[in-house]
Amino acid sequence: MRLIAGLREADRHLTQRAASRIPPAIGRLLSAVEETAESSKLWCGAAAVMTAFGGWRGRRSAVSGLAALAVAQLVSNGVCKQLVDRPRPPKEWIEHDEVEDRPDSSSFPSGHTAAAVAFTATIAPMWPLAGALCAVPATLLAVERVQSGAHYPTDVAAGALIGLGSAWLTLHVPRLLRHCL
């Protein structure tokens, strides 16, 4: 019980700190990244660029990244949010008006983070430069989800774990199936 109470207290403290300590200019940058990533537009755009300019490696990375993103979205939004009905952080914790724009769905886990991490972690081993470039907005997006009051830090951490698991599955299951068949 103390562990859960400690996690709740850490969630409260980190959420309030992120919402109040990030300078407004950085907050606007974070919001712009979130808007671009809404409905996976950022990752689909990255996949299109990779496909157009990356040759065989770009096409393979893009398809794998989008497959991992789809798995992450299915697990986070289609399963976990339905099973865990966690409310969003209380509005009184957030000192800015972005808190009014957050969704009504369950807070746990962060689907945005799951998708961003899944896409990035899948393409990174195939094309390290593209992975490094995608890691920047993926990290900014994870910070934004807490700063805006849309998620607790543990929601973002769970989303990141789902994204990493989705990337692992996408990268390894085809090989495992080839060996079994």
Side-chain angles (χ1 to χ4, degrees), residues 39-51:
S39 301
S40 300
K41 292 181 293 211
L42 177 60
W43 315 116
C44 291
V49 170
M50 292 164 57
T51 299

Side-chain angles (χ1 to χ4, degrees), residues 170-181:
T170 303
L171 292 169
H172 292 94
V173 166
R175 287 185 204 130
L176 293 172
L177 289 176
R178 277 195 299 269
H179 289 336
C180 293
L181 300 176

Side-chain angles (χ1 to χ4, degrees), residues 11 76-77 80-81 84-89 102-111 145 149-156 158-159:
D11 264 348
S76 62
N77 297 330
C80 293
K81 282 188 185 282
V84 181
D85 190 23
R86 183 180 194 186
R88 302 282 172 169
R102 61 193 187 167
D104 293 329
S105 61
S106 174
S107 180
F108 185 88
S110 169
R145 302 315 289 156
H151 289 285
Y152 295 97
T154 51
D155 299 337
V156 171

Side-chain angles (χ1 to χ4, degrees), residues 4-5 8-9 14 36-37 46 70 82 87 95 110 116 119 154 163-164 166:
I4 292 173
R8 284 187 181 143
E9 181 58 25
L14 291 171
T36 306
Q82 307 310 313
E95 298 180 4
S110 169
F119 185 83
T154 51
L164 290 172
S166 299

Side-chain angles (χ1 to χ4, degrees), residues 83-166:
L83 295 174
V84 181
D85 190 23
R86 183 180 194 186
R88 302 282 172 169
K91 290 183 179 184
E92 57 269 10
W93 290 5
I94 313 303
E95 298 180 4
H96 50 75
D97 61 356
E98 274 187 66
V99 73
E100 301 301 328
D101 294 334
R102 61 193 187 167
D104 293 329
S105 61
S106 174
S107 180
F108 185 88
S110 169
H112 283 81
T113 304
V117 170
F119 185 83
T120 302
T122 302
I123 66 168
M126 296 181 204
W127 195 357
L129 177 59
L133 292 173
C134 287
V136 174
T139 302
L140 292 173
L141 181 64
V143 171
E144 187 279 337
R145 302 315 289 156
V146 176
Q147 181 272 334
S148 67
H151 289 285
Y152 295 97
T154 51
D155 299 337
V156 171
L161 288 173
I162 290 168
L164 290 172
S166 299

